[in-house]
Coordinates of all heavy atoms in Angstrom, one line a residue:
M1 N -20.2 38.4 -1.5 CA -20.2 38.7 -2.9 C -18.9 39.2 -3.4 O -18.1 39.9 -2.8 CB -21.2 39.8 -3.1 CG -22.6 39.4 -3.0 SD -23.1 38.3 -4.2 CE -24.8 38.0 -3.9
F2 N -18.5 38.8 -4.7 CA -17.4 39.2 -5.3 C -17.7 39.4 -6.8 O -18.7 39.1 -7.2 CB -16.1 38.4 -5.0 CG -16.3 36.9 -5.3 CD1 -16.0 36.4 -6.5 CD2 -16.8 36.1 -4.3 CE1 -16.2 35.1 -6.7 CE2 -17.0 34.7 -4.6 CZ -16.6 34.2 -5.8
I3 N -16.7 40.1 -7.4 CA -16.8 40.4 -8.8 C -16.0 39.4 -9.6 O -14.8 39.1 -9.3 CB -16.3 41.9 -9.0 CG1 -17.1 42.9 -8.3 CG2 -16.3 42.2 -10.5 CD1 -18.5 43.0 -8.6
I4 N -16.6 39.0 -10.7 CA -16.0 38.1 -11.6 C -15.9 38.7 -13.0 O -16.9 39.4 -13.4 CB -16.7 36.7 -11.7 CG1 -16.8 36.1 -10.3 CG2 -16.1 35.8 -12.7 CD1 -17.7 34.8 -10.3
E5 N -14.7 38.5 -13.7 CA -14.6 39.1 -15.0 C -14.9 38.0 -16.0 O -14.1 37.1 -16.2 CB -13.2 39.7 -15.2 CG -13.1 40.4 -16.5 CD -11.8 41.3 -16.6 OE1 -11.1 41.4 -15.7 OE2 -11.7 41.9 -17.7
C6 N -16.0 38.1 -16.7 CA -16.3 37.3 -17.9 C -15.3 37.8 -19.1 O -15.2 39.0 -19.3 CB -17.7 37.4 -18.3 SG -18.0 36.6 -19.9
P7 N -14.7 36.9 -19.7 CA -13.8 37.3 -20.8 C -14.5 38.0 -21.9 O -13.9 38.8 -22.7 CB -13.2 35.9 -21.3 CG -13.4 35.0 -20.2 CD -14.6 35.4 -19.4
W8 N -15.8 37.9 -22.0 CA -16.5 38.5 -23.2 C -17.3 39.7 -22.7 O -17.4 40.7 -23.4 CB -17.5 37.5 -23.8 CG -16.8 36.5 -24.5 CD1 -16.4 36.5 -25.9 CD2 -16.4 35.1 -24.1 NE1 -15.8 35.3 -26.2 CE2 -15.8 34.5 -25.1 CE3 -16.7 34.5 -22.9 CZ2 -15.3 33.2 -25.0 CZ3 -16.1 33.3 -22.7 CH2 -15.5 32.6 -23.8
C9 N -17.8 39.7 -21.4 CA -18.7 40.8 -20.9 C -18.0 41.8 -20.0 O -18.5 42.8 -19.7 CB -19.9 40.2 -20.3 SG -20.8 39.1 -21.3
G10 N -16.9 41.4 -19.5 CA -16.3 42.2 -18.5 C -16.7 41.9 -17.1 O -17.2 40.8 -16.8
K11 N -16.4 42.9 -16.1 CA -16.7 42.5 -14.7 C -18.1 42.6 -14.4 O -18.9 43.6 -14.8 CB -15.9 43.6 -13.8 CG -14.4 43.5 -14.0 CD -13.7 44.4 -13.2 CE -12.2 44.2 -13.3 NZ -11.3 45.2 -12.6
R12 N -18.6 41.6 -13.6 CA -20.0 41.4 -13.3 C -20.1 40.9 -11.9 O -19.1 40.3 -11.4 CB -20.8 40.5 -14.3 CG -20.8 40.9 -15.7 CD -21.8 42.1 -15.9 NE -22.0 42.4 -17.2 CZ -21.3 43.1 -18.1 NH1 -20.2 43.7 -17.6 NH2 -21.7 43.4 -19.3
D13 N -21.2 41.0 -11.3 CA -21.4 40.5 -9.9 C -21.5 39.0 -10.0 O -22.0 38.3 -11.0 CB -22.9 41.0 -9.4 CG -23.0 40.6 -7.9 OD1 -22.5 41.4 -7.1 OD2 -23.7 39.6 -7.7
Q14 N -21.0 38.4 -8.8 CA -21.0 36.9 -8.8 C -22.3 36.2 -8.9 O -22.4 35.1 -9.5 CB -20.4 36.6 -7.4 CG -20.5 35.1 -7.0 CD -20.4 34.9 -5.4 OE1 -20.2 35.9 -4.8 NE2 -20.5 33.7 -5.0
S15 N -23.4 36.9 -8.7 CA -24.7 36.3 -8.8 C -25.1 36.0 -10.2 O -26.1 35.2 -10.5 CB -25.9 37.3 -8.1 OG -25.8 38.5 -8.9
E16 N -24.4 36.5 -11.2 CA -24.6 36.2 -12.6 C -24.0 34.9 -13.1 O -24.2 34.5 -14.2 CB -24.1 37.3 -13.5 CG -24.9 38.7 -13.3 CD -24.5 39.7 -14.3 OE1 -23.8 39.4 -15.3 OE2 -24.9 40.9 -14.1
F17 N -23.2 34.3 -12.3 CA -22.3 33.1 -12.7 C -22.7 31.8 -11.9 O -23.2 31.9 -10.8 CB -20.8 33.5 -12.4 CG -20.4 34.7 -13.2 CD1 -20.6 36.0 -12.7 CD2 -19.9 34.6 -14.4 CE1 -20.1 37.1 -13.4 CE2 -19.4 35.7 -15.2 CZ -19.6 36.9 -14.6
S18 N -22.2 30.8 -12.4 CA -22.4 29.5 -11.7 C -21.0 28.8 -11.9 O -20.3 28.8 -13.0 CB -23.5 28.6 -12.3 OG -23.4 28.5 -13.7
A19 N -20.6 28.1 -10.8 CA -19.3 27.4 -10.8 C -19.6 26.0 -11.2 O -20.7 25.4 -10.8 CB -18.6 27.5 -9.5
H20 N -18.6 25.4 -11.9 CA -18.8 24.0 -12.4 C -17.6 23.2 -12.2 O -17.3 22.2 -13.0 CB -19.3 24.0 -13.9 CG -20.6 24.6 -14.1 ND1 -21.8 23.9 -14.0 CD2 -21.0 25.9 -14.2 CE1 -22.8 24.7 -14.1 NE2 -22.3 25.8 -14.3
G21 N -16.9 23.4 -11.2 CA -15.7 22.5 -10.8 C -14.4 22.7 -11.5 O -14.2 23.8 -12.2
E22 N -13.5 21.8 -11.4 CA -12.1 21.9 -11.9 C -12.1 22.0 -13.4 O -12.8 21.4 -14.2 CB -11.4 20.6 -11.4 CG -9.9 20.6 -11.7 CD -9.2 19.5 -11.2 OE1 -9.8 18.7 -10.4 OE2 -8.0 19.3 -11.6
A23 N -11.2 22.9 -13.9 CA -10.9 23.0 -15.2 C -9.8 22.1 -15.7 O -9.1 21.6 -15.0 CB -10.5 24.6 -15.5
H24 N -9.7 22.1 -17.1 CA -8.6 21.3 -17.7 C -8.6 19.8 -17.4 O -7.6 19.2 -17.4 CB -7.2 21.8 -17.4 CG -7.1 23.4 -17.6 ND1 -7.0 23.8 -18.9 CD2 -7.1 24.4 -16.8 CE1 -6.9 25.1 -18.8 NE2 -7.0 25.5 -17.6
I25 N -9.9 19.3 -17.3 CA -10.0 17.8 -17.1 C -10.0 17.3 -18.6 O -10.9 17.5 -19.4 CB -11.3 17.4 -16.5 CG1 -11.4 18.1 -15.0 CG2 -11.4 15.9 -16.4 CD1 -10.3 17.6 -14.1
Q26 N -9.1 16.4 -18.8 CA -8.9 15.8 -20.1 C -9.7 14.4 -20.2 O -9.4 13.5 -19.4 CB -7.5 15.6 -20.5 CG -6.7 16.8 -20.6 CD -7.2 17.6 -21.8 OE1 -7.4 17.2 -22.9 NE2 -7.3 19.0 -21.6
R27 N -10.6 14.3 -21.1 CA -11.3 13.0 -21.4 C -10.2 12.0 -21.9 O -9.4 12.3 -22.7 CB -12.4 13.1 -22.4 CG -13.2 11.9 -22.6 CD -14.3 12.0 -23.5 NE -15.0 10.8 -23.8 CZ -15.9 10.3 -23.1 NH1 -16.4 10.8 -22.0 NH2 -16.5 9.1 -23.5
P28 N -10.3 10.8 -21.4 CA -9.3 9.8 -21.9 C -9.4 9.6 -23.3 O -10.5 9.6 -23.9 CB -9.7 8.5 -21.0 CG -10.3 9.0 -19.8 CD -11.1 10.3 -20.3
Q29 N -8.3 9.3 -24.0 CA -8.3 9.2 -25.5 C -9.1 8.0 -25.8 O -9.9 8.0 -26.8 CB -6.8 9.0 -25.9 CG -6.1 10.2 -25.9 CD -6.4 11.3 -27.0 OE1 -6.8 10.9 -28.0 NE2 -6.2 12.5 -26.7
D30 N -8.9 6.8 -25.1 CA -9.6 5.6 -25.4 C -10.2 5.0 -24.1 O -9.5 4.2 -23.4 CB -8.7 4.6 -26.1 CG -9.4 3.3 -26.5 OD1 -10.6 3.3 -26.3 OD2 -8.7 2.5 -27.0
P31 N -11.4 5.4 -23.7 CA -12.0 4.9 -22.4 C -12.0 3.4 -22.4 O -12.1 2.9 -21.3 CB -13.4 5.6 -22.4 CG -13.2 6.8 -23.2 CD -12.3 6.3 -24.4
S32 N -12.1 2.7 -23.5 CA -12.3 1.3 -23.5 C -11.1 0.5 -22.9 O -11.3 -0.7 -22.6 CB -12.7 0.7 -24.8 OG -11.5 0.9 -25.7
V33 N -10.0 1.1 -22.8 CA -8.8 0.5 -22.3 C -8.6 0.7 -20.8 O -7.6 0.2 -20.2 CB -7.5 0.9 -23.1 CG1 -7.6 0.5 -24.6 CG2 -7.2 2.4 -23.0
L34 N -9.4 1.6 -20.2 CA -9.2 1.9 -18.8 C -9.9 0.9 -17.9 O -10.8 0.2 -18.3 CB -9.9 3.3 -18.5 CG -9.5 4.5 -19.3 CD1 -10.3 5.7 -18.8 CD2 -8.0 4.7 -19.0
T35 N -9.2 0.8 -16.8 CA -9.8 -0.1 -15.8 C -10.9 0.6 -15.2 O -11.1 1.8 -15.3 CB -8.8 -0.5 -14.6 OG1 -8.5 0.8 -14.0 CG2 -7.5 -1.1 -15.2
D36 N -11.8 -0.1 -14.4 CA -13.0 0.5 -13.8 C -12.5 1.6 -12.8 O -13.1 2.6 -12.6 CB -13.7 -0.5 -13.0 CG -14.6 -1.4 -13.9 OD1 -14.7 -1.0 -15.1 OD2 -15.1 -2.4 -13.5
E37 N -11.4 1.3 -12.1 CA -10.8 2.2 -11.1 C -10.3 3.5 -11.9 O -10.6 4.7 -11.4 CB -9.6 1.6 -10.4 CG -9.1 2.6 -9.3 CD -7.9 2.0 -8.5 OE1 -7.7 0.7 -8.5 OE2 -7.2 2.7 -7.7
Q38 N -9.6 3.4 -13.0 CA -9.2 4.6 -13.7 C -10.3 5.3 -14.3 O -10.4 6.6 -14.3 CB -8.3 4.1 -14.9 CG -6.9 3.6 -14.5 CD -6.3 3.0 -15.7 OE1 -6.8 2.2 -16.5 NE2 -4.9 3.1 -15.7
W39 N -11.4 4.6 -14.8 CA -12.6 5.4 -15.2 C -13.3 6.1 -14.1 O -13.8 7.2 -14.2 CB -13.6 4.5 -15.9 CG -14.8 5.1 -16.5 CD1 -16.1 5.0 -16.1 CD2 -14.8 6.0 -17.6 NE1 -16.8 5.9 -16.7 CE2 -16.2 6.4 -17.7 CE3 -13.9 6.5 -18.5 CZ2 -16.6 7.4 -18.7 CZ3 -14.3 7.5 -19.4 CH2 -15.6 7.8 -19.5
G40 N -13.4 5.5 -13.0 CA -14.0 6.1 -11.7 C -13.2 7.3 -11.4 O -13.8 8.3 -10.9
D41 N -11.8 7.3 -11.4 CA -11.0 8.4 -11.0 C -11.3 9.5 -12.0 O -11.5 10.7 -11.6 CB -9.6 8.1 -11.2 CG -9.1 7.3 -10.0 OD1 -9.8 7.1 -8.9 OD2 -8.0 6.7 -10.1
Y42 N -11.5 9.2 -13.3 CA -11.8 10.3 -14.3 C -13.1 11.0 -14.0 O -13.4 12.1 -14.1 CB -11.7 9.7 -15.7 CG -12.4 10.7 -16.7 CD1 -11.8 11.9 -17.1 CD2 -13.6 10.3 -17.3 CE1 -12.5 12.7 -17.9 CE2 -14.2 11.1 -18.2 CZ -13.7 12.3 -18.5 OH -14.3 13.2 -19.4
V43 N -14.2 10.1 -13.8 CA -15.5 10.5 -13.6 C -15.8 11.3 -12.3 O -16.4 12.3 -12.3 CB -16.5 9.4 -13.8 CG1 -17.9 9.8 -13.6 CG2 -16.5 8.8 -15.2
F44 N -15.3 10.7 -11.2 CA -15.7 11.2 -9.9 C -14.7 12.0 -9.1 O -15.1 12.8 -8.2 CB -16.1 10.0 -9.0 CG -17.3 9.3 -9.6 CD1 -17.1 8.0 -10.1 CD2 -18.5 9.8 -9.6 CE1 -18.2 7.2 -10.7 CE2 -19.6 9.2 -10.2 CZ -19.5 7.9 -10.7
F45 N -13.4 11.9 -9.3 CA -12.4 12.5 -8.4 C -11.8 13.7 -9.0 O -11.4 13.7 -10.2 CB -11.3 11.4 -8.1 CG -11.9 10.4 -7.2 CD1 -12.3 9.2 -7.7 CD2 -12.0 10.6 -5.8 CE1 -12.8 8.1 -6.9 CE2 -12.6 9.5 -5.0 CZ -13.0 8.3 -5.5
R46 N -11.8 14.8 -8.2 CA -11.2 16.1 -8.6 C -10.2 16.6 -7.5 O -10.4 16.2 -6.3 CB -12.3 17.1 -8.8 CG -13.2 16.7 -10.0 CD -12.5 16.8 -11.3 NE -13.4 16.4 -12.4 CZ -13.4 15.2 -13.0 NH1 -12.7 14.2 -12.7 NH2 -14.4 15.0 -14.0
D47 N -9.4 17.4 -7.9 CA -8.5 18.0 -6.9 C -9.3 19.0 -6.0 O -10.2 19.5 -6.5 CB -7.4 18.8 -7.6 CG -6.4 17.9 -8.3 OD1 -6.3 16.7 -7.9 OD2 -5.6 18.3 -9.2
N48 N -8.8 19.1 -4.9 CA -9.5 20.0 -3.9 C -8.5 20.8 -3.1 O -8.4 20.6 -1.8 CB -10.5 19.3 -3.0 CG -11.4 20.1 -2.2 OD1 -11.6 21.4 -2.5 ND2 -11.8 19.7 -1.1
P49 N -7.7 21.6 -3.8 CA -6.5 22.2 -3.0 C -6.9 23.4 -2.2 O -7.9 24.0 -2.5 CB -5.6 22.7 -4.2 CG -6.5 23.0 -5.3 CD -7.7 21.9 -5.2
K50 N -6.1 23.7 -1.2 CA -6.2 24.9 -0.5 C -5.3 25.9 -1.1 O -4.0 25.7 -1.1 CB -6.0 24.8 0.9 CG -6.0 26.1 1.8 CD -5.8 25.7 3.2 CE -5.9 27.0 4.0 NZ -5.7 26.9 5.4
G51 N -5.7 26.8 -1.8 CA -4.9 27.8 -2.6 C -5.3 27.9 -4.1 O -6.5 27.9 -4.3
L52 N -4.3 27.9 -4.9 CA -4.6 28.1 -6.4 C -5.4 27.0 -6.9 O -5.0 25.8 -6.8 CB -3.2 28.3 -7.1 CG -3.4 28.5 -8.6 CD1 -4.1 29.7 -8.9 CD2 -1.9 28.5 -9.2
H53 N -6.5 27.3 -7.6 CA -7.3 26.3 -8.3 C -7.9 26.8 -9.6 O -8.2 28.0 -9.6 CB -8.4 25.9 -7.4 CG -9.2 24.7 -7.7 ND1 -10.6 24.6 -7.8 CD2 -8.8 23.5 -8.1 CE1 -10.9 23.4 -8.2 NE2 -9.9 22.7 -8.4
F54 N -7.8 26.0 -10.6 CA -8.3 26.4 -11.9 C -9.7 25.8 -12.1 O -9.8 24.7 -12.0 CB -7.5 26.0 -13.0 CG -6.0 26.6 -13.0 CD1 -5.0 26.1 -12.3 CD2 -5.9 27.8 -13.7 CE1 -3.8 26.7 -12.2 CE2 -4.6 28.5 -13.6 CZ -3.6 27.9 -12.9
E55 N -10.7 26.7 -12.3 CA -12.1 26.2 -12.3 C -12.9 26.6 -13.6 O -12.6 27.7 -14.2 CB -12.8 26.9 -11.1 CG -12.2 26.6 -9.8 CD -12.7 27.3 -8.6 OE1 -13.3 28.4 -8.9 OE2 -12.6 26.9 -7.5
R56 N -13.9 25.9 -13.9 CA -14.8 26.2 -15.1 C -16.0 27.0 -14.5 O -16.5 26.5 -13.4 CB -15.3 24.9 -15.7 CG -14.2 24.1 -16.4 CD -14.8 22.9 -17.0 NE -15.5 23.4 -18.2 CZ -16.6 22.9 -18.7 NH1 -17.2 21.8 -18.2 NH2 -17.2 23.4 -19.8
W57 N -16.3 28.1 -15.1 CA -17.4 28.8 -14.7 C -18.3 29.1 -16.0 O -17.8 29.1 -17.1 CB -17.0 30.2 -14.1 CG -16.5 30.0 -12.7 CD1 -15.4 29.4 -12.3 CD2 -17.1 30.5 -11.5 NE1 -15.2 29.5 -10.9 CE2 -16.3 30.2 -10.4 CE3 -18.3 31.2 -11.3 CZ2 -16.6 30.5 -9.1 CZ3 -18.6 31.6 -9.9 CH2 -17.8 31.2 -8.9
N58 N -19.6 29.4 -15.7 CA -20.5 29.8 -16.8 C -21.1 31.2 -16.5 O -21.5 31.3 -15.3 CB -21.5 28.7 -17.0 CG -22.5 29.0 -18.1 OD1 -23.4 29.7 -18.0 ND2 -22.1 28.5 -19.3
H59 N -21.2 32.0 -17.4 CA -22.0 33.2 -17.2 C -23.4 33.0 -17.5 O -24.0 33.5 -18.4 CB -21.4 34.3 -18.1 CG -21.8 35.8 -17.7 ND1 -21.4 36.9 -18.5 CD2 -22.5 36.2 -16.7 CE1 -21.9 37.9 -17.9 NE2 -22.6 37.6 -16.8
S60 N -24.0 32.3 -16.6 CA -25.4 31.7 -16.7 C -26.4 32.8 -16.8 O -27.5 32.5 -17.4 CB -25.6 30.6 -15.6 OG -25.4 31.2 -14.4
H61 N -26.2 33.9 -16.2 CA -27.3 35.0 -16.3 C -26.7 36.3 -17.1 O -27.0 37.3 -16.8 CB -27.7 35.5 -14.9 CG -28.4 34.3 -14.2 ND1 -29.7 34.0 -14.4 CD2 -28.0 33.5 -13.1 CE1 -30.1 33.0 -13.7 NE2 -29.1 32.7 -12.9
G62 N -25.9 35.9 -18.1 CA -25.4 36.9 -18.9 C -25.3 36.3 -20.4 O -26.3 35.9 -21.0
C63 N -24.0 36.2 -20.9 CA -23.8 35.7 -22.2 C -23.9 34.2 -22.3 O -23.9 33.6 -23.4 CB -22.5 36.1 -22.7 SG -21.0 35.4 -21.8
R64 N -24.0 33.5 -21.2 CA -24.1 32.0 -21.1 C -22.8 31.3 -21.7 O -22.9 30.1 -22.0 CB -25.3 31.5 -21.8 CG -26.6 32.0 -21.1 CD -27.8 31.4 -21.9 NE -29.0 31.6 -21.0 CZ -30.1 31.0 -21.2 NH1 -30.2 30.1 -22.2 NH2 -31.2 31.2 -20.4
R65 N -21.7 32.0 -21.8 CA -20.6 31.3 -22.2 C -19.8 30.7 -21.1 O -19.9 31.3 -19.9 CB -19.7 32.3 -23.0 CG -20.3 32.7 -24.4 CD -19.3 33.6 -25.0 NE -19.9 33.8 -26.4 CZ -19.3 34.7 -27.3 NH1 -18.3 35.5 -26.9 NH2 -19.8 34.9 -28.4
W66 N -19.0 29.8 -21.5 CA -18.0 29.1 -20.4 C -16.7 29.8 -20.5 O -16.3 30.3 -21.6 CB -17.9 27.6 -20.8 CG -19.1 26.8 -20.7 CD1 -20.1 26.6 -21.6 CD2 -19.5 26.2 -19.5 NE1 -21.1 25.8 -21.0 CE2 -20.7 25.5 -19.8 CE3 -18.9 26.0 -18.3 CZ2 -21.4 24.7 -18.8 CZ3 -19.6 25.3 -17.3 CH2 -20.8 24.6 -17.6
F67 N -16.1 29.7 -19.4 CA -14.7 30.2 -19.3 C -14.0 29.6 -18.0 O -14.6 28.9 -17.3 CB -14.6 31.8 -19.2 CG -15.4 32.3 -18.1 CD1 -14.7 32.8 -17.0 CD2 -16.7 32.5 -18.0 CE1 -15.3 33.3 -15.9 CE2 -17.4 33.0 -17.0 CZ -16.7 33.5 -15.8
N68 N -12.8 29.9 -17.9 CA -12.0 29.4 -16.8 C -11.5 30.6 -15.9 O -11.2 31.7 -16.4 CB -10.8 28.6 -17.2 CG -11.2 27.4 -18.0 OD1 -12.2 26.8 -17.8 ND2 -10.4 27.0 -19.0
I69 N -11.4 30.3 -14.6 CA -10.7 31.3 -13.8 C -9.6 30.5 -13.0 O -9.7 29.4 -12.7 CB -11.7 31.9 -12.8 CG1 -12.4 30.9 -11.8 CG2 -12.8 32.8 -13.6 CD1 -13.2 31.7 -10.8
A70 N -8.7 31.4 -12.5 CA -7.7 30.9 -11.5 C -8.1 31.6 -10.2 O -8.1 32.9 -10.1 CB -6.3 31.3 -11.9
R71 N -8.4 30.8 -9.2 CA -9.0 31.3 -7.9 C -8.2 30.7 -6.7 O -7.8 29.5 -6.8 CB -10.5 31.0 -7.9 CG -11.2 31.6 -6.6 CD -12.7 31.3 -6.8 NE -13.0 30.0 -6.5 CZ -13.2 29.4 -5.2 NH1 -13.2 30.2 -4.2 NH2 -13.5 28.1 -5.1
N72 N -8.1 31.6 -5.7 CA -7.6 31.0 -4.5 C -8.8 30.5 -3.6 O -9.7 31.3 -3.2 CB -6.9 32.2 -3.7 CG -6.2 31.7 -2.5 OD1 -6.6 30.8 -1.8 ND2 -4.9 32.2 -2.2
T73 N -8.7 29.2 -3.3 CA -9.9 28.6 -2.7 C -9.9 29.0 -1.2 O -11.0 28.9 -0.6 CB -9.8 27.1 -2.7 OG1 -8.6 26.6 -2.2 CG2 -9.9 26.6 -4.2
A74 N -8.8 29.5 -0.6 CA -8.8 29.9 0.7 C -9.3 31.3 0.9 O -10.0 31.6 1.9 CB -7.4 29.8 1.3
S75 N -9.1 32.2 0.0 CA -9.5 33.6 0.2 C -10.6 34.0 -0.9 O -11.2 35.1 -0.7 CB -8.3 34.5 -0.1 OG -7.8 34.4 -1.4
S76 N -10.9 33.1 -1.8 CA -11.8 33.5 -2.9 C -11.3 34.5 -3.9 O -12.0 35.0 -4.7 CB -13.2 33.7 -2.4 OG -13.8 32.6 -1.9
E77 N -10.0 34.9 -3.7 CA -9.5 35.9 -4.6 C -9.4 35.3 -6.0 O -8.9 34.2 -6.2 CB -8.1 36.3 -4.2 CG -7.4 37.3 -5.2 CD -6.1 37.8 -4.7 OE1 -5.6 37.3 -3.6 OE2 -5.5 38.5 -5.4
I78 N -9.9 36.1 -7.0 CA -9.8 35.6 -8.4 C -8.5 36.3 -9.1 O -8.5 37.6 -9.1 CB -11.0 35.9 -9.2 CG1 -12.2 35.0 -8.5 CG2 -10.9 35.5 -10.6 CD1 -13.5 35.3 -9.0
Y79 N -7.6 35.5 -9.5 CA -6.4 36.1 -10.1 C -6.6 36.6 -11.6 O -6.2 37.6 -12.0 CB -5.2 35.2 -10.0 CG -4.9 34.8 -8.6 CD1 -5.2 33.4 -8.2 CD2 -4.4 35.7 -7.7 CE1 -4.9 33.1 -6.9 CE2 -4.2 35.3 -6.4 CZ -4.5 34.0 -6.0 OH -4.2 33.6 -4.7
L80 N -7.3 35.7 -12.3 CA -7.6 36.0 -13.7 C -8.7 35.1 -14.2 O -8.9 34.0 -13.7 CB -6.3 36.0 -14.5 CG -5.5 34.7 -14.5 CD1 -6.0 33.7 -15.6 CD2 -4.0 35.0 -14.7
S81 N -9.3 35.5 -15.4 CA -10.1 34.6 -16.1 C -9.7 34.6 -17.6 O -9.0 35.5 -18.0 CB -11.5 35.2 -16.0 OG -11.6 36.5 -16.6
Y82 N -10.0 33.4 -18.3 CA -9.5 33.3 -19.6 C -10.5 32.3 -20.3 O -11.4 31.6 -19.7 CB -8.1 32.8 -19.6 CG -7.9 31.4 -18.8 CD1 -7.8 30.2 -19.4 CD2 -7.7 31.5 -17.5 CE1 -7.6 29.1 -18.7 CE2 -7.5 30.4 -16.7 CZ -7.5 29.2 -17.3 OH -7.2 28.0 -16.6
K83 N -10.5 32.4 -21.6 CA -11.4 31.7 -22.4 C -11.1 30.1 -22.4 O -9.9 29.8 -22.4 CB -11.4 32.2 -23.9 CG -11.9 33.6 -23.9 CD -11.8 34.2 -25.4 CE -12.3 35.7 -25.4 NZ -12.2 36.3 -26.7
P84 N -12.0 29.3 -22.6 CA -11.8 27.9 -22.8 C -10.9 27.6 -24.0 O -11.1 28.3 -25.0 CB -13.2 27.2 -22.9 CG -14.1 28.4 -23.1 CD -13.4 29.7 -22.8
G85 N -10.1 26.6 -23.9 CA -9.2 26.3 -25.0 C -7.9 27.0 -24.9 O -6.9 26.6 -25.5
E86 N -7.7 28.0 -24.1 CA -6.5 28.6 -23.8 C -5.8 27.8 -22.9 O -6.3 27.2 -22.0 CB -6.7 30.1 -23.3 CG -7.3 31.0 -24.3 CD -7.4 32.4 -23.7 OE1 -7.0 32.7 -22.6 OE2 -8.1 33.2 -24.4
K87 N -4.4 27.9 -22.9 CA -3.6 27.0 -22.0 C -3.7 27.6 -20.6 O -4.0 28.7 -20.4 CB -2.1 27.1 -22.5 CG -1.9 26.4 -23.7 CD -0.4 26.5 -24.1 CE 0.5 25.8 -23.1 NZ 1.9 25.7 -23.5
R88 N -3.5 26.7 -19.6 CA -3.6 27.0 -18.3 C -2.4 28.1 -18.0 O -1.3 27.8 -18.3 CB -3.3 25.8 -17.4 CG -3.3 26.0 -15.9 CD -2.8 24.9 -15.1 NE -3.4 23.6 -15.5 CZ -4.0 22.8 -14.7 NH1 -4.1 23.1 -13.4 NH2 -4.5 21.7 -15.2
P89 N -2.8 29.3 -17.6 CA -1.8 30.3 -17.4 C -0.9 30.1 -16.2 O -1.2 29.3 -15.3 CB -2.6 31.5 -17.2 CG -3.8 31.1 -16.7 CD -4.1 29.7 -17.2
Q90 N 0.3 30.6 -16.2 CA 1.2 30.6 -15.0 C 0.6 31.7 -14.1 O 0.4 32.8 -14.5 CB 2.6 31.0 -15.4 CG 3.3 29.8 -16.2 CD 3.5 28.7 -15.3 OE1 3.0 27.6 -15.5 NE2 4.4 28.8 -14.2
V91 N 0.4 31.4 -12.8 CA 0.0 32.3 -11.9 C 0.8 32.2 -10.7 O 1.1 31.2 -10.1 CB -1.5 31.9 -11.4 CG1 -2.0 32.9 -10.3 CG2 -2.4 31.9 -12.5
D92 N 1.4 33.3 -10.3 CA 2.4 33.5 -9.2 C 1.5 34.1 -8.0 O 1.2 35.3 -8.1 CB 3.5 34.4 -9.5 CG 4.5 34.5 -8.4 OD1 4.4 33.6 -7.5 OD2 5.4 35.4 -8.5
I93 N 1.2 33.3 -7.0 CA 0.4 33.8 -5.9 C 1.3 34.1 -4.7 O 0.8 34.3 -3.6 CB -0.7 32.8 -5.5 CG1 0.0 31.5 -5.0 CG2 -1.6 32.6 -6.6 CD1 -1.2 30.5 -4.5
T94 N 2.6 34.1 -4.8 CA 3.5 34.5 -3.7 C 3.5 36.0 -3.3 O 3.1 36.8 -4.0 CB 5.0 34.1 -3.9 OG1 5.4 34.8 -5.1 CG2 5.1 32.6 -4.1
Ligands
ZN101 ZN1 -20.3 36.9 -20.3

């Protein structure tokens, strides 16, 4: 168990949240010009790094709002959380 900070509600137990994969995925401007391979990459393939990862989370048993977190996938340490629409923050994990 670990603690996650919702940008609206503050620190809460992990059990109140659900993870929804990589953050900052941009929908293609014009999907009709993509090849099947490019569309497949957009729909199905995500980064899976060991270390810093930006993820979408939902406070599903709280305010139900979406937000992003910067998390270390190796240690599960959460560096920070921020509201959707905000730029990807610089995170120094050294
Ligand atoms: Zn919340």
Side-chain angles (χ1 to χ4, degrees):
M1 286 291 180
F2 52 94
I3 300 297
I4 298 173
E5 184 167 2
C6 172
W8 291 274
C9 305
K11 294 180 179 179
R12 299 286 194 273
D13 188 84
Q14 171 195 355
S15 62
E16 294 186 13
F17 298 88
S18 53
H20 294 271
E22 186 177 350
H24 304 287
I25 302 296
Q26 295 293 318
R27 182 178 175 83
Q29 291 285 331
D30 185 1
S32 67
V33 301
L34 298 181
T35 65
D36 288 346
E37 183 176 349
Q38 290 169 321
W39 182 250
D41 285 346
Y42 164 70
V43 173
F44 297 111
F45 291 96
R46 298 292 181 258
D47 290 339
N48 187 23
K50 181 178 181 181
L52 179 61
H53 193 228
F54 294 89
E55 302 170 337
R56 297 184 71 212
W57 284 68
N58 184 272
H59 194 180
S60 49
H61 295 286
C63 66
R64 296 186 166 191
R65 289 183 172 172
W66 290 90
F67 61 98
N68 297 327
I69 66 171
R71 184 176 72 89
N72 186 321
T73 59
S75 66
S76 289
E77 179 181 358
I78 296 174
Y79 301 111
L80 54 90
S81 61
Y82 54 102
K83 295 177 181 178
E86 293 181 10
K87 291 180 67 173
R88 182 191 311 236
Q90 287 292 113
V91 179
D92 182 15
I93 62 171
T94 57

